Amino acid sequence: MPVSIAVGAQWGDEGKGKIIDALSENSDFVIRYNGGNNAGNTVINDYGKFPLHLIPSGVFSPNSKACIANGVVIDLEVLSNEIESIEKAGLKLNDKLYISPRCHLILPYHKILDKLYEEAKGRNKTGTTGRGIGPVYADKVSYHGIRIYDLINKNQFSEKLETQLLIKNKIIKALGGKPLNQLDIEKQYFSLREKIIPFVKELFPVFQEAIKNDKNILLVGAHGVFLDNDWGTYPFVTASNIIPGGINAGSGILPQKIKNSIGIVKAYTTRVGAGPFPTELLDSDGERLQKEGDEFGATTGRPRRCGWFDAELVRFAKELNGFTEIALTKLDVLDSFEEIKICTGYTVDEKPANYYDGDAVFLERVKPIYKSITGWMEKTRGIVNYNDLPANAKKYVEEIENIIGVNIKYISTGPERSAMITR
Ligand code: GDP
Ligand code: IMO
Ligand code: MG
């Protein structure tokens, strides 16, 4: 399958880092096309444990080039630290990591505005990661952005920065923040510039050549389908498009080239930040999922909200993304539950309802319809053969498979790269 895509099919943190690290073993190119360092993708392999925020998780595969395509927004400091931590672990990134000069830069005022906007929204806040993501994408689409292209030419960067600071400092002051100084930003960004420029490369001809030569390409989405700016639970979403439509814009690769679409799905559901969550558990089962699943954000450390598996969401994500197969993660987290529930659909006012029938306010009102499965009450952690799973665990997997109507090809049974069943 020369061009594949792997995306999270819930609200992020589905275990993409782990699955992509494992799946990219034979990839020639692993490409991120959306989002920024609001992503936190945990990889545990022979090199160590990494919470990757910008570099795609396939970077550790011996033959793969790791590409940050034009749709990604970059915080240079985070990227520079990430490069350093990977190189320190013994992996050289020279001629392995490529960064598009078209990527927009997150500047200090984006992070300040992110926080000030959240404060101003008060109890209606989104619960963002505070990484400046909304403000940087807003600047991109309203022609205020500053890109890596601008940083290549220092004068061009300074001129654009001066204009932006004239505007941004006024907004910052109006919202009660402290204005920023141009020279301080230039000093920091010109120093980071030297570290990043060696990896900058126009990627269009690289990807065209790779497709022509049938290279194995894995496009990896950050976040999850229900955080997609258009199809997620707006306004409780992120600023980028995660779905395949985002790939053409975010990497220059034609969606028609995609032959394989892998949905990465947790065996239950989690969400960080505000917004509707129909299967959320506010009881001891929810606490248990959080504890057993170690559900704390890889980016902000915030506790993740937890609930049962929601098949209505994943079915919708399947249609939107054309999933050809599913990777089901964290099955082992359910090992100690006597009873496990699957949400098979919703009702509103006792009538059947779908995810797409309304907005975030509507979703607050839907009631999940549950199907109960008897738990397996046995350890599955680290199992690599499907037949070694307890009968009730297989039943759970097959039930989900039937309800969503896509093959579950991979089952993850632990955070390490090796803890995976391929069916
Ligand atoms: P991502 O954002 O989708 O890459 O996911 P995160 O890395 O933010 O969160 C997933 C968490 O679950 C990480 O701590 C992983 O190490 C861990 N994890 C991934 N797969 C499994 C699994 O199958 N079982 C268990 N117990 N943990 C897993
Ligand atoms: P990964 O790649 C979970 C959520 C934030 C917030 C909303 C908007 O690790 O799965 P933003 O900072 O993007 O403006 O915040 O989106 N969010 C994520 N939640 N995993 C992520 O990425 C997320 N990226 C953004 O918590 O609710
Ligand atoms: Mg994450």
Side-chain angles (χ1 to χ4, degrees):
M1 291 290 183
V3 185
S4 302
I5 151 175
V7 297
Q10 291 152 323
W11 279 292
D13 305 326
E14 296 89 351
K16 297 178 293 294
K18 183 242 154 99
I19 296 291
I20 289 158
D21 175 49
L23 291 188
S24 56
E25 213 177 345
N26 300 316
S27 297
D28 300 301
F29 292 87
V30 182
I31 305 168
R32 242 192 85 177
Y33 58 88
N34 77 304
N37 58 305
N38 45 345
N41 306 136
T42 316
V43 169
I44 305 175
N45 59 26
D46 292 344
Y47 286 96
K49 178 176 177 178
F50 304 85
L52 297 178
H53 301 291
L54 283 163
I55 297 178
S57 322
V59 66
F60 297 99
S61 296
N63 300 317
S64 77
K65 307 278 187 201
C67 306
I68 300 180
N70 59 286
V72 177
V73 290
I74 295 184
D75 184 321
L76 288 180
E77 196 176 359
V78 173
L79 180 57
S80 159
N81 289 340
E82 210 159 285
I83 291 171
E84 211 175 294
S85 78
I86 293 175
E87 293 209 317
K88 229 175 169 170
L91 186 70
K92 287 279 154 274
L93 294 178
N94 182 29
D95 202 32
K96 184 169 179 68
L97 172 67
Y98 296 155
I99 304 164
S100 166
R102 295 171 195 274
C103 290
H104 281 247
L105 294 172
I106 296 177
L107 283 135
Y109 48 78
H110 292 126
K111 289 182 264 189
I112 292 174
L113 289 172
D114 194 349
K115 295 204 168 86
L116 290 172
Y117 290 154
E118 283 283 270
E119 277 165 27
K121 279 158 89 177
R123 67 183 176 86
N124 294 319
K125 70 177 182 185
T126 309
T128 71
T129 59
R131 302 304 192 253
I133 305 299
V136 73
Y137 275 109
D139 271 1
K140 175 177 175 173
V141 297
S142 55
Y143 337 126
H144 290 278
I146 301 182
R147 306 194 292 175
I148 291 184
Y149 262 136
D150 301 312
L151 192 64
I152 293 173
N153 177 335
K154 287 187 182 177
N155 288 335
Q156 197 169 309
F157 178 84
S158 295
E159 205 181 320
K160 289 199 176 176
L161 181 62
E162 189 182 356
T163 309
Q164 284 312 309
L165 283 177
L166 276 173
I167 303 169
K168 299 301 195 289
N169 276 340
K170 281 187 187 148
I171 307 174
I172 290 172
K173 276 196 269 183
L175 291 171
K178 217 174 119 223
L180 293 163
N181 175 284
Q182 171 141 5
L183 291 180
D184 291 344
I185 301 177
E186 281 177 1
K187 194 170 159 222
Q188 186 195 11
Y189 276 63
F190 290 158
S191 145
L192 289 165
R193 175 187 182 275
E194 307 311 314
K195 297 187 185 162
I196 303 301
I197 289 218
F199 301 102
V200 174
K201 195 181 181 78
E202 174 50 55
L203 293 171
F204 184 75
V206 177
F207 295 163
Q208 293 298 313
E209 184 73 10
I211 290 170
K212 211 164 69 192
N213 293 322
D214 273 344
K215 295 287 182 195
N216 275 318
I217 297 175
L218 183 61
L219 287 145
V220 300
H223 330 306
V225 169
F226 295 91
L227 290 168
D228 183 274
N229 193 265
D230 281 271
W231 291 98
T233 48
Y234 195 90
F236 305 101
V237 292
T238 191
S240 62
N241 281 116
I242 292 139
I243 57 170
I247 288 175
N248 195 192
S251 74
I253 293 176
L254 271 177
Q256 293 96 299
K257 301 286 176 195
I258 301 164
K259 297 290 175 258
N260 198 25
S261 173
I262 305 155
I264 305 173
V265 182
K266 210 177 268 191
Y268 48 96
T269 312
T270 63
R271 165 161 217 170
V272 201
F277 183 172
T279 63
E280 182 169 20
L281 291 165
L282 299 166
D283 57 8
S284 59
D285 279 338
E287 276 169 33
R288 243 169 103 192
L289 284 172
Q290 192 182 78
K291 186 167 165 280
E292 300 288 329
D294 196 18
E295 294 296 353
F296 295 90
T299 298
T300 57
R302 288 179 291 177
R304 296 175 183 147
R305 300 155 64 192
C306 297
W308 296 123
F309 186 86
D310 186 338
E312 171 64 21
L313 292 184
V314 179
R315 261 196 316 249
F316 175 76
K318 172 191 87 172
E319 300 302 334
L320 205 52
N321 292 274
F323 291 148
T324 51
E325 52 200 44
I326 295 283
L328 186 72
T329 64
K330 303 192 92 161
L331 185 71
D332 56 295
V333 172
L334 300 173
D335 283 356
S336 67
F337 284 79
E338 303 80 17
E339 186 195 15
I340 303 165
K341 289 183 184 167
I342 299 174
C343 162
T344 58
Y346 304 149
T347 58
V348 162
D349 303 328
E350 271 138 65
K351 290 190 199 81
N354 289 110
Y355 168 79
Y356 50 78
D357 285 335
D359 61 1
V361 178
F362 167 84
L363 274 180
E364 292 284 5
R365 291 181 50 230
V366 303
K367 286 205 169 58
I369 305 163
Y370 284 117
K371 178 163 192 171
S372 239
I373 306 279
T374 309
W376 45 93
M377 310 284 288
E378 263 180 71
K379 253 186 76 179
T380 62
R381 177 91 183 229
I383 288 184
V384 294
N385 293 312
Y386 189 64
N387 285 335
D388 293 341
L389 284 180
N392 282 352
K394 284 195 255 185
K395 213 166 146 189
Y396 184 65
V397 170
E398 286 159 28
E399 195 69 50
I400 290 178
E401 196 165 50
N402 286 337
I403 297 171
I404 62 179
V406 193
N407 286 344
I408 296 178
K409 182 163 176 194
Y410 308 99
I411 301 163
S412 175
T413 56
E416 309 78 20
R417 181 194 273 185
S418 56
M420 190 152 96
I421 297 168
T422 303
R423 285 166 87 207

